[in-house]
Amino acid sequence: MLLLSALLMQARSLVLTLNDGTKAYYPITAAQRPVLCFTDGKLSVETQSYFFTDIREFRVSDEDGPTGIRSTEIRPKMKGNRLWIDTEVKVAVYDAGGRKQSVDIEKAAGGQIVSLASLLPGLYIVHAGKTTFKYVKK
């Protein structure tokens, strides 16, 4: 246990390598630690789930992810029915029942604008990269 604690103190990221060669990086910082859950043949890290059979390698690394950025925090800004995200990450919107919603996403200088105008009133979950937050449309 002491050895594991020492390794994690030096680690900067959790790296999953999938069988197809894709790598998923999860930053490890003083303020941000990925939460892992092992259930029903799956490994869940934050909002992503992976089947054990799809994972070639699972490790902690003392290197940053491929961007060289240790950690970023997305700070979305609302303006009416439009959501400004200050980075270009994958964005998905889900209703309270977990169904993915179709929304218009427009690239803008330094980020993107997500139009939530087509959504019915209710509670929605917005995934932007590794950041998740809720949105209530009245």
Side-chain angles (χ1 to χ4, degrees):
M1 185 68 163
L2 186 57
L3 177 60
L4 181 59
S5 295
L7 286 172
L8 288 175
M9 288 181 67
Q10 295 176 9
R12 289 187 179 166
S13 63
L14 168 68
V15 182
L16 295 178
T17 305
L18 305 181
N19 290 331
D20 66 1
T22 303
K23 289 187 179 185
Y25 292 83
Y26 297 91
I28 300 172
T29 66
Q32 184 177 1
R33 302 231 185 252
V35 176
L36 307 175
C37 294
F38 298 91
T39 54
D40 300 325
K42 290 184 191 174
L43 165 65
S44 296
V45 184
E46 296 177 6
T47 60
Q48 298 292 320
S49 291
Y50 306 92
F51 286 101
F52 290 146
T53 56
D54 293 335
I55 301 172
R56 181 186 323 159
E57 181 183 51
F58 169 92
R59 64 186 171 93
V60 292
S61 174
D62 63 352
E63 299 175 8
D64 295 325
T67 62
I69 300 171
R70 286 193 183 184
S71 168
T72 61
E73 186 174 319
I74 297 171
R75 298 189 193 282
K77 297 174 185 90
M78 289 298 303
K79 192 170 207 178
N81 283 327
R82 295 164 53 103
L83 174 67
W84 164 259
I85 298 176
D86 61 356
T87 184
E88 292 184 20
V89 294
K90 183 177 178 183
V91 176
V93 179
Y94 300 89
D95 66 15
R99 291 175 295 275
K100 189 172 183 176
Q101 301 297 300
S102 178
V103 294
D104 291 327
I105 301 174
E106 173 186 331
K107 300 260 187 222
Q112 52 194 330
I113 298 169
V114 181
S115 175
L116 304 172
S118 64
L119 300 176
L120 297 173
L123 173 69
Y124 295 91
I125 305 299
V126 180
H127 293 279
K130 294 181 183 178
T131 301
T132 303
F133 54 93
K134 68 181 177 180
Y135 167 71
V136 179
K137 183 169 184 183
K138 296 182 183 199

